[in-house]
Amino acid sequence: MASLERSNRHESSGLDSCRVYVTKPFLPPLEEFIPYLKNIWDSRVLTNRGNFHSALEEQLSKYLGVKYISLCSSGTIGLLIAFKALGIKGEVITTPYSFIATAHSLLWSNLTPIFVDIDPLTLNIDSNKIEAAITNKTSAILPVHCYGTPCDVDKIQEIADRYGLKVVYDAAHAFGVKCHCGSILNHGDFSVLSFHATKVFNTLEGGAIISGDLETKSMIDQLLNFGFENETSVLSLGLNGKMNEFNAAFGLLQLNSIDDLIKKRASIDKLYRQQIASIEGISCAQFSTALSHNFSYFPVFVEADYPLRRDQLYDILIGHNIFTRKYFFPLITSFPMYKHYSTASAANLPVASDVAHKVLCLPIFPELPISTVVKICKIIAQPLNSNGYLIS
Ligand SMILES: *Cc1c(COP(=O)(O)O)cnc(C)c1O
């Protein structure tokens, strides 16, 4: 422990620029954004469905292979709007292994989260355990395509149909992911994307709601704009969830490089897998079953036969200026607003509890140098010398 502290103090005194974080948002060259800004300055249209907004909706629906998309100000707002549009009440079945916004969106909507354990391979909600959690108060299922790995969409839809439930996918990780039947985003009643700065495709802040038909999209657009039908009539209890022209313009520019950015992520993913294969006690998440994956995260698991515990490895990597993240630890169910739910107990969620204690997300982003990936893997392979002290 003493050596661990010394290592941290020694190494973290380096310049901030040497630090490697779990992600680093890609920014196109600044001069390429200037013409977009000039356009906004000239038109004075800053928000409320301007030209950039319409263009981004059109281009994204083509790129993603979805019918109707509504841009919004964040993924979290998108989830709230989706629940409002469906009018769901009572209990909603969801996963504890996700970012806090998944469950928060339910509480904000006065819905009761019912937590169901995850599948140990996909890390998504275990579709075999959903039925047992259904009661006469259940109105919907809120699964997450965790790390961009597709949920068992067919099984989930079959259950939803049989019990008359709605399905809203938290697709914050699933930009561009395709499965056997095209875009993964075409499943359920709605899929909600996040375009937050840390996501694969970003508009600084932002998100989108995918609808299956035009009528539903119109309802969503109305809810995102205070419920206005037109200048003088308000038809629904909407809020302000609009995306503005700056975010939309940034998204349009970002979309030009997205294929290249995902390709770079794919090669980093491949290199990590090659390097980690020979490290005893460290395992990688299974390779995604998606036909087209986005390589948004690179989670590894610190198993019992690794010489250190997950938190020790996390600290050692910080000592080398490598800032990994414990995504998703703690589980959503351990936070104060959730822990009193009967389905939040560790006994109900053995797989999620186990995974949360051993997971570490390694840095992955398009500009991550190959040499840094190799260095990270070297540190993980040999964190200690023969006397049991840290190598630093
Ligand atoms: C990022 C994220 C969200 C929230 O999206 P915002 O755009 O930040 O509001 C929701 N769910 C998951 C799983 C996320 O990773």
Side-chain angles (χ1 to χ4, degrees):
M1 202 56 210
S3 62
L4 201 152
E5 278 161 20
R6 190 167 60 240
S7 159
N8 280 348
R9 202 166 50 233
H10 172 69
E11 294 286 337
S12 59
S13 60
L15 285 174
D16 216 44
S17 60
C18 310
R19 293 184 168 197
V20 178
Y21 294 101
V22 73
T23 192
K24 181 176 176 182
F26 172 79
L27 288 176
L30 181 58
E31 56 274 19
E32 288 182 21
F33 195 44
I34 303 294
Y36 291 79
L37 294 177
K38 177 85 171 55
N39 188 307
I40 292 172
W41 253 251
D42 290 345
S43 73
R44 296 291 159 123
V45 177
L46 308 185
T47 185
N48 287 68
R49 305 195 66 78
N51 286 339
F52 286 132
H53 187 285
S54 305
L56 184 58
E57 281 195 347
E58 198 185 313
Q59 291 198 22
L60 272 179
S61 64
K62 268 192 212 132
Y63 178 82
L64 295 171
V66 299
K67 278 213 185 105
Y68 297 102
I69 184 166
S70 301
L71 300 174
C72 58
S73 54
S74 73
T76 307
I77 290 291
L79 289 169
L80 299 185
I81 293 292
F83 303 147
K84 187 59 126 184
L86 293 169
I88 53 184
K89 297 202 163 45
E91 298 176 353
V92 176
I93 292 170
T94 192
T95 169
Y97 191 75
S98 180
F99 181 60
I100 190 74
T102 306
H104 272 9
S105 67
L106 293 174
L107 276 199
W108 265 86
S109 308
N110 277 325
L111 296 164
T112 305
I114 300 295
F115 297 102
V116 164
D117 206 5
I118 58 171
D119 176 277
L121 288 180
T122 64
L123 309 174
N124 290 324
I125 192 167
D126 187 338
S127 55
N128 293 315
K129 294 187 177 148
I130 290 176
E131 255 188 286
I134 295 174
T135 72
N136 55 11
K137 295 193 192 114
T138 311
S139 60
I141 309 173
L142 173 62
V144 178
H145 301 296
C146 191
Y147 307 130
T149 302
C151 288
D152 190 352
V153 288
D154 294 334
K155 176 91 190 272
I156 290 171
Q157 195 59 53
E158 185 267 314
I159 295 170
D161 289 344
R162 201 145 37 83
Y163 288 88
L165 308 178
K166 304 290 185 190
V167 182
V168 175
Y169 281 100
D170 180 337
H173 298 178
F175 185 90
V177 172
K178 294 197 169 71
C179 63
H180 56 288
C181 46
S183 173
I184 195 72
L185 306 170
N186 287 326
H187 294 275
D189 293 275
F190 291 110
S191 288
V192 178
L193 290 159
S194 165
F195 302 152
H196 179 255
T198 56
K199 306 298 204 269
V200 163
F201 171 79
N202 88 82
T203 58
L204 314 174
E205 291 273 7
I209 305 167
I210 311 297
S211 325
D213 60 80
L214 186 56
E215 201 184 332
T216 310
K217 174 186 159 52
S218 304
M219 175 172 55
I220 292 288
D221 288 343
Q222 195 182 85
L223 283 167
L224 288 169
N225 187 27
F226 308 100
F228 276 112
E229 182 198 28
N230 56 43
E231 247 179 76
T232 49
S233 112
V234 174
L235 287 187
S236 51
L237 183 61
L239 46 68
N240 182 1
K242 302 186 299 291
M243 177 180 283
N244 68 54
E245 286 292 276
F246 289 81
N247 295 105
F250 185 84
L252 276 172
L253 180 55
Q254 191 90 320
L255 200 52
N256 292 338
S257 1
I258 191 68
D259 283 332
D260 182 45
L261 298 178
I262 291 175
K263 247 185 235 152
K264 287 186 173 137
R265 286 176 174 275
S267 63
I268 292 166
D269 181 287
K270 193 171 168 198
L271 181 59
Y272 267 134
R273 283 178 194 278
Q274 285 165 354
Q275 302 264 314
I276 287 170
S278 58
I279 305 178
E280 216 170 312
I282 301 287
S283 59
C284 300
Q286 74 158 3
F287 193 75
S288 171
T289 51
L291 289 183
S292 165
H293 188 47
N294 63 17
F295 306 95
S296 45
Y297 298 88
F298 197 84
V300 296
F301 308 106
V302 181
E303 308 287 356
D305 53 343
Y306 188 71
L308 302 171
R309 295 302 83 233
R310 186 268 312 274
D311 290 357
Q312 293 174 305
L313 177 59
Y314 171 86
D315 287 339
I316 282 176
L317 286 164
I318 289 179
H320 291 271
N321 270 336
I322 309 294
F323 292 75
T324 62
R325 291 296 296 268
K326 301 169 196 175
Y327 284 150
F328 290 100
F329 172 86
L331 288 180
I332 288 176
T333 42
S334 57
F335 292 116
M337 55 300 281
Y338 301 103
K339 64 181 182 200
H340 65 278
Y341 287 100
S342 63
T343 56
S345 69
N348 185 48
L349 309 166
V351 179
S353 306
D354 178 52
V355 172
H357 279 96
K358 61 187 191 182
V359 70
L360 208 53
C361 280
L362 303 183
I364 185 165
F365 50 88
E367 294 166 305
L368 181 65
I370 295 290
S371 59
T372 307
V373 176
V374 173
K375 177 185 150 185
I376 292 169
C377 294
K378 253 191 197 146
I379 298 167
I380 297 173
Q382 256 195 330
L384 305 174
N385 68 19
S386 56
N387 297 322
Y389 289 110
L390 280 176
I391 298 170
S392 62

